[in-house]
Amino acid sequence: MRGAALVLLGITVAACGDGGGALRIDHATPDHGLLVGGTRVVLTGAGFAADGAGPSRVLIAGREAPLALATDDATLEVVIPPGAQPGPAEVLVTNRHGSVAALGVFRYSAPPTITSVSPADVLFSSTSTVVTVTGTGFADEDAGEVRVLVGGQPASEVQVADDTLLTFVAPPGPALARVELQVLDERGTATRPRAFRYVPGLRPGLVAFPAWTGMSALYFDPVDGSVVPFPWAFTGIRLTSLVRDRRGDYWGSDRQGLFGRLDASVPGLERPIQVPGWFSTMVLAEDVYLAIERTSRLLGRFDPQTGAFEPLGSTPIACCGSYGLAYDGKTLYLTSRGAGGVVIQTVDRATGELGPAVPLVATPAVHIEEMRFFRGTLYAWSRDGRFLSIDPTTGATTAIPAPIGRYPAMEVFE
Amino acid sequence: MIRRALLALTCAAGAACGDSIPHVPPLDAVSGDRLKLQRLRYDDGAEQVDPSGFYDTALHTRCAAGRWTDGALRCLPVADDAVYTDADCTTEVGLTPATELADPTVFIGHDWVDGVRIATRLHRAGDDRAAITEYWERRDGACTGPWPAPEGATTYELAGAITAAELVAFHDGEAGDGRLGLRLRQTDDGLRLAIELRDRELDVACTPTLRSDGVACEPSTVAAATYFDDPGCEQPRVVTAEPAPRPAIARVVDDAGCATYFRIGPEVSPPSYRREAAACVRATVPSGARSFELGAAVELALLGRTVEDAGGRRLQRVILDDAGLRFVGDRLVDTATRAECLPRLIGDELRCVPAATVAALTLYARGCVAPLRVAAVPTRVCGERPAFAIAVTADGTAIHAIGDRVDGPLFAFDGVACAPYVAPPDTAVHALGPALAPETFTRAVAFGAR
């Protein structure tokens, strides 16, 4: 279609009784223009200047061009007006010879689009990760210089391979943020929300969040036992529990009873809802979200969409202190601290009925705030600042080297 | 929509067909035998007088109208300085800065009186000579100095004084028998140049202004009625700062963006009110300010306007007329943009650029890292609606076509902070197209008889 000189519609309206040469539009060069308008296009045809044609006026898609100048009878230079939408636009020329309209000789270029972004995860501290973007509108049709913004920040080393492919080096970003990607060029702006995720580590592991702002969050890699702190700058949020949904998004609950998605590119919890009381621990077990509502000390199901909480039974869990929930794909476990110390026991997910209590073999200071299974091992953060693993059958505990601190919200990262 | 637009355009494009330009030539500027007009000649053949100066073929120098020491309005050479070389201020030389062209013909000497530098002496240029390093000048009658001579300047001997009688004198006249008089600058050697219009009825200078209701001669000096008599901001009033004299005419801009004019009424007392955003608030006026009610509305003189049809030219002259007075306007019409244009320096060349333009701005999306080309375009325009914006950057001057209105928040970066941009009242932010090639607009070169 490009370059085609196809005039689908041509009409002539006599004006002022002038019997001058026939007005005709053959083609436009270039055959496209920016949607914002203001680019120069040359119309080729006839009747633009000779035989007293007079000044020509040009309408493109019904809007008048701010400048139209016949340089000879066959050539009409036009600065195009802004367009309402991309695609073919009718070109209409009027002068003393009459008027002629042509469809198919000119189109407004579409703004760029983004169809895919790879990789899906970028290490938050990396300064060398090359991201590949596929789409359209990166090079052709006067796209001009292409800029890429990641979460509003400029990316470096933008390389446009062709109209459908570009790469850039992602700037460092906040871990666990799913960032917006924008591609800007003369043709317009393409925006892809949640284009990729900044991750605290490149392998699955555990992430834990501190009780207080000002402390770093932690990423634990069980493969090599490394612990990587990563910045966690949310102010005013005191996370008490964390849960990861099937899509890999993290949802947090805070001491004020707010529940919302956790995205480090958004300050605070994203679109939080109020839950009854507050959740000291949460877990996802077979598509059912379970939590312990700390005020009533009841275990129950909750709906992450509405915040509605439905207790399983009416017997409060032993008082007091912190609680942890973990699910290994078959069995739900609960840790609590009663008069006899910290115990771990199974929970019937349907009724909330507790199994036999198995005392943890640990120092008296151990007081579990959250726990999670990761590849068969149960990991837990204790309120005394220690990170440990637990054998849920025997209650045996093993200390794991990690920075000491309170991390009441922990979840599997992958 | 296309068909409706087509019909409208057919008539508009054909407007010139029915024009019958009278064959009486309009009053136009002409050179004298000695004093020559300077002109701009455009690539399409159109010409335009450059009213800022003349060329004196007897003294071989550019000159411009100014009062000389004899009190007469004369064509004063545009010349480099003559300075004294001694502490008694008796001997003078000419100094030409290094950046100026060589071969000066005239030098002009200045004295300081009460802190004002006044031209007092003219000399013909002689041969160049050994450079001076310092000079003296008269300040309130005393010879002061020495002052260091400009580095790299060339020094010339002087070859005799030029007397006042040797300078061409202007005598201003006025043409036209109707309400409007066309003030002319004339010389005995035959030069004639229109310098301004005068509304005899209002006794003010006025400027022909293309408005939606035609061409009106709008008073050149007016007081803007931006205050109000009442807490509802319904009745405009003029507030002038002391010691401004009592104004003669007040200007009020209506909702359509058109100006209406009133005579000044009686002086009134505070309080005054003014509009702030959508509110009408009591105004704090400067101490000593005077307030005036508006008097009777003023009916402006309207001029006839004809765009010439000089075949083959993109730029056409505008002929204005009033009661038998026909004269060439000071603007050209660019038939490509269908708008009046004015010469403007784009890059290093003069080009006829639309007279109605707005300034391009660089604003940003949130975060102030992604610049956006935009312009704040008036939402109320009485005359020609601007279709182009001019960007002046470190890279030079560029012209952009104005696109559609931009929705959504925009931000301005002041070098320190990124803050939401608030468009000035009665403007809307529009996107701009890419920079147009300078050749899009017709080039001019300066020329004139020598």
Side-chain angles (χ1 to χ4, degrees):
Chain A
M1 187 66 181
R2 180 174 301 173
L6 177 63
V7 179
L8 299 179
L9 175 64
I11 57 171
T12 301
V13 177
C16 303
D18 191 308
L23 194 53
R24 193 180 78 236
I25 303 170
D26 293 338
H27 56 264
T29 308
D31 61 357
H32 55 268
L34 301 176
L35 206 51
V36 71
T39 51
R40 220 167 156 203
V41 166
V42 175
L43 299 180
T44 305
F48 298 143
D51 301 324
S56 291
R57 302 179 75 165
V58 176
L59 287 179
I60 298 181
R63 301 177 72 169
E64 185 159 15
L67 186 147
L69 174 68
T71 53
D72 57 47
D73 193 57
T75 310
L76 184 61
E77 293 185 5
V78 177
V79 172
I80 65 165
Q85 59 187 30
E90 185 183 58
V91 178
L92 183 148
V93 176
T94 297
N95 61 26
R96 290 176 194 160
H97 292 327
S99 296
V100 65
L103 185 63
V105 297
F106 175 81
R107 69 178 181 282
Y108 280 109
S109 298
T113 61
I114 300 171
T115 51
S116 71
V117 179
S118 172
D121 289 342
V122 172
L123 188 63
F124 77 101
S125 57
S126 171
T127 57
S128 60
T129 302
V130 175
V131 176
T132 300
V133 182
T134 60
T136 58
F138 303 156
D140 297 344
E141 301 188 1
D142 306 317
E145 182 189 1
V146 176
R147 286 170 293 144
V148 174
L149 300 182
V150 176
Q153 298 304 308
S156 60
E157 297 180 43
V158 177
Q159 304 282 340
V160 177
D162 56 38
D163 194 56
T164 61
L165 183 73
L166 67 81
T167 60
F168 64 89
V169 173
L176 297 184
R178 291 188 190 273
V179 287
E180 179 184 85
L181 182 69
Q182 287 182 297
V183 175
L184 303 89
D185 62 26
E186 292 287 353
R187 291 174 59 173
T189 301
T191 301
R192 188 177 182 89
R194 297 164 61 84
F196 63 83
R197 179 176 65 160
Y198 282 110
V199 293
L202 292 175
R203 286 197 295 248
L206 291 163
V207 287
F209 292 85
W212 314 109
T213 55
M215 291 173 64
S216 294
L218 297 179
Y219 159 73
F220 172 65
D221 183 348
V223 173
D224 60 11
S226 62
V227 176
V228 178
F230 61 89
W232 185 248
F234 285 8
T235 53
I237 300 177
R238 184 179 165 189
L239 284 179
T240 57
S241 56
L242 188 68
V243 68
R244 178 175 176 274
D245 68 16
R246 292 292 180 212
R247 296 191 309 165
D249 287 338
Y250 291 87
W251 299 77
S253 174
D254 78 352
R255 187 67 175 77
Q256 308 302 316
L258 295 176
F259 176 84
R261 191 159 64 186
L262 207 62
D263 186 323
S265 63
V266 178
L269 295 170
E270 193 177 352
R271 292 193 291 273
I273 56 174
Q274 186 73 46
V275 299
W278 59 280
F279 297 158
S280 63
T281 175
M282 299 186 288
V283 72
L284 176 61
E286 307 297 339
D287 293 330
V288 176
Y289 291 88
L290 297 163
I292 292 175
E293 196 287 294
R294 181 61 183 75
T295 307
S296 62
R297 288 186 280 117
L298 293 174
L299 172 69
R301 300 186 185 95
F302 76 93
D303 182 343
Q305 301 298 318
T306 65
F309 181 75
E310 179 190 352
L312 295 174
S314 56
T315 305
I317 296 167
C319 185
C320 288
S322 301
Y323 303 92
L325 287 170
Y327 179 66
D328 66 358
K330 293 179 183 172
T331 306
L332 179 66
Y333 292 90
L334 163 73
T335 50
S336 61
R337 181 178 176 129
V342 181
V343 298
I344 186 167
Q345 51 200 136
T346 59
V347 184
D348 185 314
R349 290 187 286 121
T351 63
E353 188 176 337
L354 300 177
V358 178
L360 291 193
V361 183
T363 63
V366 166
H367 189 167
I368 302 303
E369 290 200 297
E370 190 56 289
M371 57 183 191
R372 282 295 185 269
F373 280 100
F374 182 82
R375 300 198 175 154
T377 301
L378 182 59
Y379 295 94
W381 277 100
S382 169
R383 193 168 177 165
D384 67 349
R386 278 182 282 187
F387 186 44
L388 40 88
S389 63
I390 301 171
D391 181 336
T393 307
T394 64
T397 62
T398 304
I400 300 172
I404 295 206
R406 278 189 66 186
Y407 293 90
M410 181 172 68
E411 185 52 288
V412 170
F413 165 75
E414 32 187 359
Chain B
M1 179 176 67
I2 295 282
R3 297 293 165 258
R4 280 202 305 273
L6 182 149
L7 287 173
L9 281 190
T10 300
C11 297
C17 306
D19 287 348
S20 56
I21 299 171
H23 293 292
V24 178
L27 195 152
D28 197 2
V30 292
S31 288
D33 294 334
R34 172 179 164 181
L35 209 55
K36 302 298 182 185
L37 294 169
Q38 304 301 289
R39 295 178 186 272
L40 298 176
R41 179 174 287 161
Y42 291 90
D43 285 350
D44 69 338
E47 290 185 6
Q48 192 172 31
V49 171
D50 175 0
S52 64
F54 309 91
Y55 191 81
D56 187 330
T57 55
L59 296 177
H60 303 291
T61 180
R62 288 183 297 129
C63 63
R67 294 279 165 199
W68 188 235
T69 52
D70 62 351
L73 186 67
R74 297 181 181 278
C75 205
L76 306 183
V78 178
D80 294 324
D81 289 345
V83 297
Y84 294 107
T85 59
D86 61 306
D88 296 327
C89 288
T90 56
T91 306
E92 287 183 273
V93 295
L95 279 182
T96 299
T99 53
E100 295 296 307
L101 293 175
D103 299 331
T105 57
V106 177
F107 287 100
I108 188 164
H110 298 82
D111 291 337
W112 290 85
V113 179
D114 293 334
V116 180
R117 194 166 180 256
I118 298 171
T120 57
R121 308 173 304 282
L122 278 166
H123 304 275
R124 288 185 175 80
D127 295 333
D128 58 343
R129 48 154 281 176
I132 60 168
T133 57
E134 55 190 25
Y135 67 91
W136 280 258
E137 60 188 12
R138 286 191 183 280
R139 296 195 173 206
D140 296 322
C143 190
T144 62
W147 309 101
E151 205 166 307
T154 305
T155 307
Y156 290 84
E157 300 288 1
L158 301 181
I162 298 172
T163 65
E166 291 180 83
L167 300 176
V168 177
F170 293 108
H171 47 89
D172 287 354
E174 199 163 287
D177 300 321
R179 175 174 171 178
L180 296 178
L182 182 65
R183 288 191 60 211
L184 301 171
R185 186 145 288 167
Q186 302 168 116
T187 62
D188 287 341
D189 71 321
L191 177 136
R192 182 183 67 211
L193 174 69
I195 52 174
E196 70 177 6
L197 276 171
R198 182 156 195 83
D199 187 326
R200 292 167 173 150
E201 189 176 307
L202 300 179
D203 193 23
V204 293
C206 63
T207 306
T209 306
L210 184 58
R211 302 161 33 133
S212 54
D213 55 354
V215 178
C217 206
E218 295 193 337
S220 303
T221 305
V222 295
T226 54
Y227 290 80
F228 295 89
D229 286 339
D230 57 300
C233 286
E234 298 287 338
Q235 297 298 324
R237 69 162 49 167
V238 168
V239 176
T240 62
E242 199 183 36
R246 177 190 174 92
I249 304 288
R251 182 177 197 260
V252 177
V253 178
D254 65 19
D255 290 342
C258 289
T260 51
Y261 294 84
F262 297 83
R263 293 195 182 276
I264 294 292
E267 187 163 356
V268 291
S269 305
S272 295
Y273 300 85
R274 66 182 311 166
R275 289 199 179 114
E276 284 187 7
C280 182
V281 299
R282 188 165 169 155
T284 304
V285 299
S287 171
R290 300 172 68 190
S291 302
F292 300 91
E293 276 185 0
L294 300 190
V298 167
E299 198 77 21
L300 297 181
L302 297 176
L303 295 100
R305 177 181 185 266
T306 308
V307 179
E308 277 191 336
D309 188 12
R313 283 191 189 155
R314 171 176 171 175
L315 303 180
Q316 298 288 349
R317 297 195 307 176
V318 174
I319 309 302
L320 300 171
D321 63 83
D322 170 64
L325 172 67
R326 296 183 70 243
F327 58 99
V328 178
D330 61 356
R331 292 185 176 182
L332 296 171
V333 165
D334 185 343
T335 56
T337 61
R338 305 171 304 283
E340 292 186 341
C341 65
L342 290 170
R344 182 170 181 140
L345 205 56
I346 304 294
D348 55 1
E349 292 179 317
L350 280 171
R351 294 183 180 276
C352 209
V353 172
T357 58
V358 293
L361 303 170
T362 298
L363 298 179
Y364 297 86
R366 189 181 303 280
C368 286
V369 294
L372 303 167
R373 277 189 315 260
V374 296
V377 179
T379 51
R380 303 187 305 167
V381 178
C382 187
E384 292 180 333
R385 180 167 287 280
F388 297 92
I390 295 185
V392 180
T393 67
D395 298 331
T397 301
I399 302 178
H400 304 258
I402 295 173
D404 282 338
R405 190 168 172 157
V406 177
D407 295 320
L410 294 169
F411 293 80
F413 184 63
D414 62 5
V416 177
C418 181
Y421 173 76
V422 179
D426 299 324
T427 67
V429 177
H430 286 241
L432 301 181
L436 290 163
E439 309 83 76
T440 306
F441 300 93
T442 311
R443 184 182 59 172
V445 293
F447 83 102
R450 290 290 190 264

